[in-house]
Amino acid sequence: MSKINLLDCTLRDGGYVNDWHFGREAIFNIGKKIVLAGIEYFEIGFVRECDYDEDYSLFDGNESVRKMITPKNPGTHYVGMIDMGRPIPLEKLGKRTEDGFDVFRVIFKKSKIQEAYDYIQKLQKLGYEVFAQAVGTDNYSDSEFIDLIKQFNELPISAFYIVDSFGLIKKKDFVRLAQIADHNLREDIMLGYHSHNNMQQAMGNASAFTEMHLHRDIILDACVFGMGRGAGNLNLELFAEYMNENFDKQYRIEPMLEIIDEYLNDIYREHFWGYSLPLYLSAANGCHPNYAIYFASKGTLTVKSYNEILKAIPKEDKALYNKDKAEKIYKEYQENYVDDRESVEQLEKELAGRQILLIGPGKSLEEQKDQVQAFIQKEKPVVIGLNFVPTEVSCDYVFVCHMRRYKNVVNQPVKKIITSNLREAKEYDHMLNFASYSCQEPAIMENSGLMCLHFLMHMGIAKVSIAGLDGYDITNRGNYVNSGLEYDFTAEQLQERNELIAKEISALQEKMEIDFLTDSIYKR
């Protein structure tokens, strides 16, 4: 029977999760444990022009990788990946040496086929084994795929890969691609499979691949703990166990479990990867997973909204993620223009001459409730809840610009002021045009407190009091008066949001008086 090989790409593909910042000790010891596990190919990271830092699995050539893999195990192939989007100049690599890289995997998009072909040709003359990997293999028509294979058959490459870049390929389509490749690929070239797990197809496709019993060697990529951007990748420890049980392999599982325990669990707790609804929808709509990650970071979209916004991305843009484009698409979707003049006029009448108190969901509302109640009894203000209806204070209105929060308040006996991005909302008293009051900064464009302040300023309100607008607490993410309002942002994102909100409030205070009744990091 032909040989089945496994390639570990934890430090390379898994590195998208933590920006390749594993630490020197982890990089070195993960490599040693992969060798102990008996995995045939170990990919230690990307190879590109960079300011090499030994704490990152990014390398600028043989010199930088040498200290991380010495002494090399004779039975292990040491691999680096080169992306044709930013290829390292070949003169910086130099010829293959015994103590450096053995193999380079060259990944390329459709637009870079000829460049990849020429680059690989020169790379092989330096003595390296080379694997060719066409990004988004399922985006090729059958005839394009065959032509691509025949072109690379002319090179002495060691492997040619089916790459499921977006985790879209289902079993029947994978088997068809594998059959096409097997039929057309030169006999001495291994056929490889690189999966992503957005639709949970990785294990099924990988096992189907091994059961095709092709008359050529095959190679499958996997990551320990399935580590990888978004939904992650094929789990190395699980697939190695499958290989032991079904193909009499002798992979050692314990070293992989030690990698999880000693290094990856801490990363996982800070940077989750695994199945998620946004990533499933991204795959189902044929979109780059970074779109799902970006829209999920907003924390505002319902399932229906996700589907609508992903479907609205032009076909030619779906495969190539661009943050500026994502921000533009999101902003256009949220704006959903409505003529709100009638609502504004009615609210001007209802709020004219009244003190205004905005209520946020921070813990200070509970901890300093006596002074809030004293203010209400003395000033008799109009009370407006921000994306929630508090139990501690009786509200006259709730201002909602978040569909998930709307669903929590829709049945509350309070007047509802909503913004036009809430496309699914049916029950409300006033709808305001989202774009008229949203912030320009994408990270805080739908912040309810800022939007409400902008609206009140637009109506000519000169003074607003605020309680419970504590600010994001980086150390205590449950810092809310009721459950269901917690957030899921990184510490860096929280810090950025706090700074942007503080800056926006400071600008508003130049035009209106804002009085914080309770503790807040935005209080100056």
Side-chain angles (χ1 to χ4, degrees), residues 34-82:
I34 292 298
V35 169
L36 285 173
I39 304 302
E40 292 87 355
Y41 290 82
F42 167 51
E43 185 175 61
I44 190 167
F46 272 111
V47 182
R48 58 175 63 155
E49 284 194 285
C50 62
D51 294 325
Y52 173 65
D53 183 330
E54 62 183 9
D55 287 327
Y56 291 77
S57 53
L58 301 170
F59 301 90
D60 59 0
N62 281 306
E63 188 61 38
S64 57
V65 81
R66 191 169 287 125
K67 64 184 74 172
M68 289 298 184
I69 60 177
T70 301
K72 288 172 67 176
N73 177 56
T76 304
H77 300 265
Y78 293 82
V79 185
M81 177 169 277
I82 298 171

Side-chain angles (χ1 to χ4, degrees), residues 229-244:
R229 175 172 51 195
N233 300 304
L234 178 65
N235 287 64
L236 183 63
E237 68 281 4
L238 297 182
F239 198 72
E241 183 70 37
Y242 165 84
M243 293 297 298
N244 289 348

